[in-house]
Amino acid sequence: MGKRPVTVRMARWSAEHPWRAIALWVVFVAVCFVGGNAAGLKEATATDDAIGEAGRAYVMIEEGGFADEPAEDNVLITARSGKLDNAAAQRAAADATTKLRTVTGVASVGKPVPANDGSALLLSITMAGDPETASDRVEPLRAATAEVQRAHPDLRVEQVGGPSIGKALDDTLGEDFKRAEILSLPVTLAILILVFGALIAAGVPVLLALSSVAAAMGLSTLASHLIPSTDATSSVILLIGMAVGIDYSLFYVRREREERAKGRGHVDAVEIAAETSGHAVVVSGTAVVIAMAGLFLAGDSTFSSLAVGSILVVTVAVLGSLTVLPALLAKLGRWVDRPRVPFVWRLTARNSGNGSRFWRAVLHPALRWPAATLLVSVLALLALAAPALNMNLKFPGTEDLPRTTPAMQAYDRLTAAYPSNGTTHIVAVRAPAASAGEVKAALTELTESTQGNRLFAPPEQTGPDIEVSPDKTVTVLDLSTPYTSRSDEAADSLHELRTTLAPAALGGLDYAVGGDVANNEDYAKHIWRTLPIVAGVVLLLTFLMMAWTFRSVVVAATSIVLNLLSVGAAYGLLVLVFQGSWAPDLLNFTSMDAIVSWLPLFLFVVLFGLSMDYHVFVVSRIREAVLRGVPTREAVAEGITGSAGTVSSAALVMVAVFSIFATLSTIDMKQLGIGLAAAILLDATIIRAVVLPSAMTLLGNANWWAPRFMRPRGRHAASAAVTPPAPEPELVGRH
């Protein structure tokens, strides 16, 4: 019989020693989680995040050793209608000054500054303490401003600025994420209950996924000391961990139940599940890891951190599916199907036959007319992908934040009355300390060159906003534009500043231009430059892995093409929704006429990895049938109908969870949620039920062609078999 695969040996040991396996898993998760928290998190710095010229500007500023700027907030006084009564506004400003000076946490209150057009009065407030936590301490200031508002009802007196906006957004977005978290778990459980018809069976996948996420969180904290972490890492670990953890458990549990239904004992059923679905889980996990590892090639600390988190959680989920999952299934035995949910259990028990008939009806066109079905479906997917050719990439700006809060409405009034408080270009100059005076003069000249230029906001009455580092080696100038950060006019002002104004005033000096607009431009160029490199390496490594796993160059090539179609269709759908004008009212967002800059690269690797889960599982079932001597057409039908219930159930869970993200307020989360949900839905339906079967049916025995060196030694290739070939232990269960 030969030596059994390691997946089978691990599962067999776990099934025969369930309490040991469960205890070891609990200890592993606890050590990872506690150890990670004890080690602490190392976050990425400006040097780690430096991309393009904007990144160089931030590195210069960091090297300058500037003292942390104290947090500043403002009180904005405007008229409720008509022209502002200056005398009344001054009285309100005086009241606000008196009240705010008595508030704990206020370091100083500035003098009221009138807007150039006389439409507003602005009172600046300098806060004491750590600026990073200012938004947590801004509530007493807001309460004092509210008292002034009540005393002057004819005016509009508002708190506005970084800390107050941060507090308002934290409240709004915090509620968003809390709602998403509260909804995602019961939705997932409800779908799994419908799939299994039993509470324990539904709970097992969730348990594996949550424990994998907990362990990966701790491991990623430890890893941050090698590759610094970012704010998004924990969210991605949760998103990917729940997706793959539930997927892998579904593959395994469904196969174990299938074998028990054939009369196998509990341990034997677990062993066969490990030999088939367990092997598919390992291959799927490897495909996800390869895809995520491609993010390292982006040369971006954010993507590197996301890659580390994703690789860790996928690896832990695969390990759990090979160890603690077989132990749980063996220990639970038939109790895994308890307690049964009335009606749902009966429906689930009957579903296999009805499901097979349903999927055979779906597959009929692909099996009966494979060439025509393939042509029509591929053309439809290409048509859906076509809008991606016009994809624009930009970072979301302040203008894309939800306007449902008073703080954001006040911000709009602030930037209208004081344009220099809006979008700002940052010009950083590095020079010897002895040249500090010369540099300051050059930056003053640069500021003067922007006067009268409609692309730049007029400077404040106090003069150019120039700051010099303590050692006088770095000088920074803030130049404002009256346009929003992702507008064409703001981009034009950056181009004019970089190509004309700055070279004329700062020629010969070491300088860089940064700011929000520069971040937009430079990061979009970075993504377009690195996406082909990342995609190329991921495609090559995935092709080699699939070719070796299935001993077929054709299966590997088909896998790549199908996943590219899925990703392309997702890109096109994103552009149709978020760069079009028909969806904003329907989905409750303001169109930014662009896709968030980091999304295409991240979506590519995530979708490519997750799509491989389904592909490997389905093709493994088809190959099992072929290796038993079943003709290709019947093998395709058997493999897809046999795996359709599992694949559609796993996809339904992911689509539901990702769709919840589409309900969040921020545009980046909406795009991520809709992009992932749409792609998974397309992949599990059109790709797996139409394109894949028609392609494999059309190719016939050619599906299994491989060069001689790749063919299993001592056996005939599946494509050449006339009589059933000897089963391959890693894919075919013993009967």
Side-chain angles (χ1 to χ4, degrees):
M1 184 181 295
K3 195 174 183 179
R4 293 177 300 175
V6 66
T7 56
V8 178
R9 283 179 280 145
M10 290 174 66
R12 184 85 192 190
W13 184 90
S14 297
E16 292 175 345
H17 307 86
W19 286 121
R20 293 185 194 178
I22 293 170
L24 286 172
W25 179 255
V26 172
V27 170
F28 168 72
V29 172
V31 168
C32 291
F33 189 75
V34 174
N37 287 334
L41 184 69
K42 182 182 177 183
E43 296 185 347
T45 64
T47 303
D48 298 316
D49 290 332
I51 298 292
E53 185 176 344
R56 286 199 301 112
Y58 293 127
V59 170
M60 286 183 186
I61 294 170
E62 189 171 271
E63 291 175 348
F66 289 88
D68 288 339
E69 292 284 342
E72 289 191 359
D73 217 71
N74 305 282
V75 173
L76 179 68
I77 303 171
T78 56
R80 290 194 175 277
S81 62
K83 188 176 180 181
L84 178 67
D85 183 338
N86 187 61
Q90 289 289 349
R91 288 193 296 272
D95 285 354
T97 301
T98 301
K99 285 188 179 296
L100 287 165
R101 281 176 177 167
T102 65
V103 174
T104 302
V106 173
S108 63
V109 181
K111 294 182 178 180
V113 178
N116 289 337
D117 61 1
S119 64
L121 204 62
L122 189 67
L123 198 67
S124 64
I125 308 163
T126 302
M127 296 180 64
D130 184 359
E132 295 293 328
T133 62
S135 61
D136 299 329
R137 296 177 283 106
V138 78
E139 193 56 41
L141 282 70
R142 297 170 68 182
T145 301
E147 288 184 29
V148 178
Q149 173 65 88
R150 287 192 292 271
H152 300 270
D154 295 336
L155 298 172
R156 186 186 285 111
V157 184
E158 304 171 288
Q159 190 82 27
V160 60
S164 55
I165 290 175
K167 172 64 174 174
L169 290 176
D170 285 346
D171 291 344
T172 301
L173 301 182
E175 287 298 319
D176 268 4
F177 281 104
K178 188 182 297 183
R179 185 179 69 251
E181 291 170 1
I182 290 172
L183 282 175
S184 59
L185 194 58
V187 166
T188 300
L189 278 171
I191 294 172
L192 291 174
I193 288 171
L194 290 175
V195 170
F196 290 112
L199 296 182
I200 293 178
V204 167
V206 175
L207 185 63
L208 175 65
L210 289 176
S211 61
S212 299
V213 167
M217 290 279 194
L219 291 173
S220 70
T221 303
L222 290 170
S224 70
H225 294 274
L226 296 175
I227 298 176
S229 182
T230 64
D231 293 339
T233 304
S234 58
S235 298
V236 168
I237 289 175
L238 179 61
L239 194 71
I240 301 298
M242 291 302 292
V244 299
I246 288 172
D247 268 13
Y248 298 162
S249 299
L250 271 171
F251 294 167
Y252 212 105
V253 175
R254 289 288 289 252
R255 187 58 183 258
E256 188 267 351
R257 291 177 90 196
E258 182 182 321
E259 296 302 325
R260 276 196 294 111
K262 295 176 181 178
R264 311 280 182 190
H266 300 313
V267 174
D268 288 339
V270 167
E271 183 175 351
I272 294 172
E275 202 169 12
T276 53
S277 294
H279 179 77
V281 164
V282 172
V283 176
S284 299
T286 305
V288 178
V289 167
I290 288 174
M292 293 301 176
L295 290 175
F296 288 120
L297 300 174
D300 180 335
S301 65
T302 299
F303 284 132
S304 295
S305 174
L306 297 182
V308 169
S310 302
I311 289 170
L312 286 173
V313 77
V314 171
T315 303
V316 172
V318 170
L319 180 63
S321 70
L322 298 178
T323 55
V324 71
L325 185 57
L328 284 171
L329 293 176
K331 191 64 185 175
L332 288 168
R334 295 193 179 276
W335 275 98
V336 77
D337 295 329
R338 302 285 194 279
R340 296 173 179 177
V341 180
F343 176 72
V344 176
W345 170 260
R346 292 194 298 274
L347 186 65
T348 303
R350 293 198 304 264
N351 192 49
S352 57
N354 295 336
S356 296
R357 287 195 293 272
F358 169 78
W359 285 106
R360 283 187 179 275
V362 172
L363 286 173
H364 180 72
L367 301 177
R368 182 69 177 83
W369 306 285
T373 303
L374 181 64
L375 179 63
V376 171
S377 56
V378 168
L379 288 177
L381 289 169
L382 290 175
L384 186 56
L389 297 174
N390 297 318
M391 182 185 291
N392 298 321
L393 296 184
K394 290 183 181 179
F395 276 128
T398 309
E399 64 272 24
D400 298 307
L401 295 172
R403 257 46 187 181
T404 54
T405 62
M408 292 311 303
Q409 296 164 10
Y411 175 80
D412 291 338
R413 285 186 281 270
L414 172 68
T415 54
Y418 299 87
S420 61
N421 282 283
T423 306
T424 302
H425 301 301
I426 300 171
V427 183
V429 181
R430 182 167 48 197
S435 304
E438 177 188 341
V439 171
K440 190 170 183 179
L443 289 173
T444 302
E445 178 187 340
L446 173 59
T447 304
E448 291 171 352
S449 70
T450 65
Q451 293 186 21
N453 189 328
R454 70 175 185 84
L455 296 176
F456 296 89
E460 296 294 338
Q461 299 173 0
T462 53
D465 188 358
I466 297 175
E467 188 175 0
V468 182
S469 65
D471 63 1
K472 299 186 184 301
T473 60
V474 178
T475 308
V476 178
L477 166 69
D478 287 349
L479 275 177
S480 298
T481 174
Y483 304 102
T484 57
S485 61
R486 55 175 175 75
S487 65
D488 291 338
E489 292 85 356
D492 291 341
S493 69
L494 174 69
H495 298 155
E496 185 166 343
L497 181 59
R498 281 181 167 178
T499 59
T500 305
L501 301 179
L506 306 175
L509 295 173
D510 181 14
Y511 72 91
V513 178
D516 290 342
V517 185
N519 284 340
N520 264 334
E521 298 286 309
D522 294 349
Y523 204 80
K525 291 177 183 176
H526 171 71
I527 292 296
W528 287 128
R529 185 173 61 251
T530 57
L531 180 57
I533 298 171
V534 172
V537 172
V538 169
L539 292 176
L540 176 61
L541 293 178
T542 304
F543 174 83
L544 294 175
M545 184 205 71
M546 295 293 287
W548 188 255
T549 298
F550 289 103
R551 300 294 196 270
S552 168
V553 171
V554 178
V555 166
T558 305
S559 306
I560 298 299
V561 173
L562 264 58
N563 280 280
L564 284 176
L565 282 171
S566 178
V567 173
Y571 281 176
L573 190 62
L574 271 179
V575 172
L576 282 174
V577 172
F578 290 100
Q579 288 185 205
S581 58
W582 62 273
D585 291 337
L586 182 65
L587 298 175
N588 191 29
F589 69 92
T590 301
S591 176
M592 58 184 284
D593 196 31
I595 304 303
V596 177
S597 298
W598 54 266
L599 204 56
L601 182 55
F602 183 68
L603 271 181
F604 176 84
V605 295
V606 171
L607 295 178
F608 209 85
L610 295 182
S611 296
M612 278 297 171
D613 277 0
Y614 304 143
H615 192 81
V616 168
F617 189 67
V618 173
V619 175
S620 294
R621 295 296 292 259
I622 294 172
R623 188 171 182 243
E624 284 184 47
V626 169
L627 291 173
R628 294 198 309 270
V630 178
T632 298
R633 187 185 300 268
E634 286 75 11
V636 169
E638 180 182 323
I640 290 180
T641 55
S643 61
T646 304
V647 169
S648 56
S649 300
L652 184 59
V653 171
M654 283 204 279
V655 169
V657 172
F658 293 153
S659 296
I660 292 172
F661 277 78
T663 67
L664 301 183
S665 299
T666 55
I667 192 69
D668 51 352
M669 287 296 103
K670 281 186 180 293
Q671 291 189 3
L672 178 63
I674 288 176
L676 288 171
I680 295 299
L681 184 62
L682 285 170
D683 191 80
T685 53
I686 304 301
I687 297 291
R688 304 302 155 207
V690 180
V691 182
L692 175 65
S694 58
M696 293 193 76
T697 301
L698 192 63
L699 289 167
N701 286 339
N703 280 296
W704 315 108
W705 181 86
R708 186 176 298 275
F709 73 90
M710 288 180 58
R711 298 172 189 169
R713 294 182 180 180
R715 298 176 186 167
H716 299 290
S719 58
V722 177
T723 58
E728 293 190 7
E730 76 272 17
L731 282 175
V732 181
R734 288 183 291 278
H735 297 280

